[in-house]
Amino acid sequence: MTTTTATFSKRENIAALLFLLPYSIVFLLFRVYPIVSGFIISLYKRDILGLENDCVALGNYVKIFQDSVFWKSLWNTFRFTLMVTPTMIPLALFLAILLIKPMLGSRLYRLILFAPRVLSVSVVGLICLWIWQPEWGILNFYFQKLGIPPQKWLSSSTFSMVVIVLIDLWWVVGYYMVIFMAGLRQIPEELYEAASIDGASRWQSFWNVTIPGLRGSLMFVMITHVIGAFQIFGLVNIITGGGPYDSTKVLVQYIYLNGFSYYKMGYASALAYILMLIILVFTLIQFKVLNKQD
Amino acid sequence: MAIRTRSDTIVQLARHGILVLICLLWVAPLLWMISTSLKTEREIFTFPLHWIPWQATVDNFRTTFEKTHLLLWLKNSFVIMLAEVVVGGTIWAMTAYAFAKIRFKGRNVIFLIVLSTMMIPGQVTLIPTYLMLNSFGLINTMTGVVLPSFSAAVGIFLLKQFFEGIPNELSEAARIDGCGHFRIFWTIVLPLAKPAIFALMIFTSLRSWNDYLWPLIVLQDSDKMTLPVGLSSLQGTYGVDSYGVLMASSLLASLPILIILILFQDRIIKGVALSSGIKA
């Protein structure tokens, strides 16, 4: 019996090796190596060709703390996240609740709300640049008709981030709505019936049945959305390029600029590691806070 | 019961009303894009702004085909997406199978290591990967865009969950019949995992199609660019910078995927929900 189990596991190990071989190669090449190498690069002052490659140890990190553009980018990233996540999630939940009961046209509604999600970031950016254009944009046109004075929107440092948030909402809320709809479907009908027998109002059954029932989806969406919001780049790069006056410059954009515009690869690498640290810290905070509600 | 019905109808009407309003708002940008793409340059900048063009023209579309590489960008995006889904999917399925169904030494530890890399945001690996690919001469190539995508661990995580749900009795029975792991993988586990695999394909396709930062960095020649990168390069380019052309290009770029969405909306949306791990 012992010999059979021994050869069994040797065969298992060989099978495992073969099955894992392809991924092991790409994992080592594109995960392990870059993670380690990235940190090493961050300890150097390096340009893209490697012509300049001086070891500065933690010098880049010190420079980051003294860099006002870094702090501006960090603040902009926070601003974006703080504006977008608390609006996206209730809106997506609201839409999901509206759509969950099948009714005439619900498939069409769902399609329309989800459709922007499949558009590429450039298409979203170009369309919205045109819509929010100060002189010829359709939005200012209608605002004027309603008596609201035309604003500069994307060229104003006060409103530009708000506009980006609104555009992001239009773009992806359908995706989160679909996730919440799947979560809502999992809540057993009996719980709602029990609640209404106990005399609960719609609002009460929402708080005491729906929200707890959605805990899984809510946690998932909240945590992944915050992580995603910290990494916002494409929309900003296409629509405002970080302006005006750096009012929409976000962290990933600053990393991109440093690495591929200024060619300060060491500095950009260090910025990337700081970004990772920040995301890690905030995800842990979220975990702690969300788990406390047990 | 009678009293309830009245308030129910009001609620129903309200629901429809709100949804119709919101959906009109949601679809308006796309309609405006179509409207602008069919207008002449002069008409675009004529007040009052209007939705239906007075003098529709296909000039903007013609300019798009003649002066931009839109068709090439569409082709590039499609090829890259196909490669990422097919090759990536195969690699991830094999890896997930090993973690789920093969008992080997150190399985849990290795899986945890793979899982922990999921926490690392892509920007950290951006520069080192770029420099490494540069030394291999893979910058400005489609291969360079595709290769790093295989290292993503999300697919492995999703598939492993699903594979673990497939009862072991099935593979045990096949074992007794003399099947090797590959046979079991190919003929038993994969067919049973179709929903998860489909969901993963949708998820990966969407991510690949909309990927912006990495292709932006890797691809430098206009004829090699993917759709998002190419479209964004139109801004400020002489001859195509007019909004009529930009909207026409955007429309042509979005048409294929919108058509696919409309045709397969049920399966796609179900796949999206599944890939967020809700069922797990």
Side-chain angles (χ1 to χ4, degrees), chain A residues 8-9 12-13, chain B residues 98 101-105 107 172 181:
Chain A
F8 195 62
S9 57
E12 294 285 275
N13 285 341
Chain B
K101 292 292 177 199
I102 305 181
R103 262 160 276 138
F104 59 94
K105 211 198 298 191
R107 180 170 76 167
E172 294 301 323
H181 270 297

Side-chain angles (χ1 to χ4, degrees), chain A residues 8 12-13 23 29 34 98 101 103-104 107 109-110 120 122 129-130 136 142 170 231 238 260 268, chain B residues 15-16 19-20 26 32 36 44-45 51 95 104 123 127-128 132 151 175 181 210 217 228 235 243 266:
Chain A
F8 195 62
E12 294 285 275
N13 285 341
Y23 186 68
L29 272 179
L98 275 182
K101 288 215 192 75
M103 57 179 163
L104 185 69
R107 240 174 126 244
Y109 297 144
R110 188 186 60 173
S120 92
S122 318
L129 263 175
W130 178 225
W136 304 100
Y142 283 128
W170 174 75
Q231 297 177 48
I238 292 175
F260 297 96
Chain B
R15 275 171 79 210
H16 271 282
L19 277 168
V20 167
W26 242 246
W32 188 236
T36 309
I44 292 176
F45 295 106
W51 290 80
T95 318
F104 59 94
Q123 294 81 23
I127 288 171
M132 172 176 65
S151 66
R175 281 309 202 69
H181 270 297
N210 283 337
I217 293 174
Q235 288 174 288
Y243 271 113
D266 292 311

Side-chain angles (χ1 to χ4, degrees), chain B residues 188-202:
Chain B
I188 301 180
V189 174
L190 274 188
L192 284 175
K194 277 213 194 103
I197 291 179
F198 186 71
L200 184 61
M201 277 169 55
I202 305 275

Side-chain angles (χ1 to χ4, degrees), chain A:
Chain A
M1 258 284 116
T2 0
T3 11
T4 343
T5 16
T7 30
F8 195 62
S9 57
K10 199 189 282 182
R11 248 215 262 134
E12 294 285 275
N13 285 341
I14 294 179
L17 209 76
L18 290 172
F19 269 89
L20 292 175
L21 197 63
Y23 186 68
S24 312
I25 299 176
V26 291
F27 184 69
L28 286 168
L29 272 179
F30 297 109
R31 279 288 126 157
V32 177
Y33 172 75
I35 292 174
V36 173
S37 166
F39 185 66
I40 296 178
I41 292 178
S42 76
L43 301 174
Y44 281 72
K45 206 171 159 207
R46 187 194 204 284
D47 71 358
I48 197 163
L49 295 171
L51 294 174
E52 181 191 19
N53 208 4
D54 315 312
C55 182
V56 289
L58 294 174
N60 283 326
Y61 293 94
V62 171
K63 261 219 265 167
I64 289 177
F65 281 103
Q66 301 164 333
D67 185 354
S68 61
V69 184
F70 161 72
W71 290 111
K72 189 101 213 275
S73 315
L74 185 63
W75 172 234
N76 286 334
T77 312
F78 276 174
R79 259 201 316 151
F80 175 74
T81 310
L82 284 171
M83 282 198 272
V84 82
T85 310
T87 18
M88 177 85 73
I89 295 183
L91 182 62
L93 188 56
F94 174 66
L95 291 171
I97 293 177
L98 275 182
L99 267 182
I100 193 69
K101 288 215 192 75
M103 57 179 163
L104 185 69
S106 50
R107 240 174 126 244
L108 180 64
Y109 297 144
R110 188 186 60 173
L111 177 67
I112 290 178
L113 292 168
F114 184 76
R117 184 68 188 86
V118 302
L119 299 174
S120 92
V121 66
S122 318
V123 170
V124 174
L126 290 175
I127 295 179
C128 292
L129 263 175
W130 178 225
I131 290 179
W132 292 88
Q133 224 268 351
E135 289 100 43
W136 304 100
I138 188 88
L139 215 63
N140 261 350
F141 180 66
Y142 283 128
F143 277 172
Q144 270 188 298
K145 285 200 166 176
L146 292 173
I148 305 173
Q151 303 289 336
K152 279 200 283 169
W153 304 123
L154 290 167
S155 16
S156 98
S157 37
T158 7
F159 285 123
S160 47
M161 193 52 104
V162 178
V163 175
I164 302 262
V165 170
L166 291 174
I167 296 175
D168 195 51
L169 281 175
W170 174 75
W171 188 24
V172 299
V173 83
Y175 170 74
Y176 293 104
M177 171 189 84
V178 163
I179 294 184
F180 281 143
M181 280 171 76
L184 283 172
R185 258 183 233 116
Q186 277 194 308
I187 302 178
E189 210 34 57
E190 298 85 55
L191 290 176
Y192 287 111
E193 286 165 8
S196 73
I197 290 175
D198 284 345
S201 69
R202 266 189 228 268
W203 190 243
Q204 282 171 318
S205 58
F206 174 70
W207 273 116
N208 296 313
V209 179
T210 316
I211 298 282
L214 276 180
R215 250 188 106 237
S217 326
L218 276 173
M219 263 195 87
F220 173 79
V221 168
M222 271 195 253
I223 292 181
T224 52
H225 193 255
V226 168
I227 293 179
F230 269 105
Q231 297 177 48
I232 181 88
F233 170 70
L235 214 54
V236 170
N237 200 43
I238 292 175
I239 296 182
T240 59
Y245 306 120
D246 287 353
S247 58
T248 56
K249 192 174 257 175
V250 285
L251 258 178
V252 177
Q253 207 188 3
Y254 194 44
I255 295 175
Y256 171 72
L257 279 175
N258 272 292
F260 297 96
S261 231
Y262 312 150
Y263 295 129
K264 289 154 77 175
M265 303 232 129
Y267 194 61
S269 250
L271 282 168
Y273 267 88
I274 296 284
L275 172 68
M276 175 177 84
L277 234 95
I278 294 174
I279 293 182
L280 214 67
V281 167
F282 273 90
T283 311
L284 283 171
I285 294 179
Q286 268 195 300
F287 253 129
K288 281 256 160 87
V289 170
L290 291 174
N291 268 324
K292 239 192 224 175
Q293 298 171 345
D294 233 321

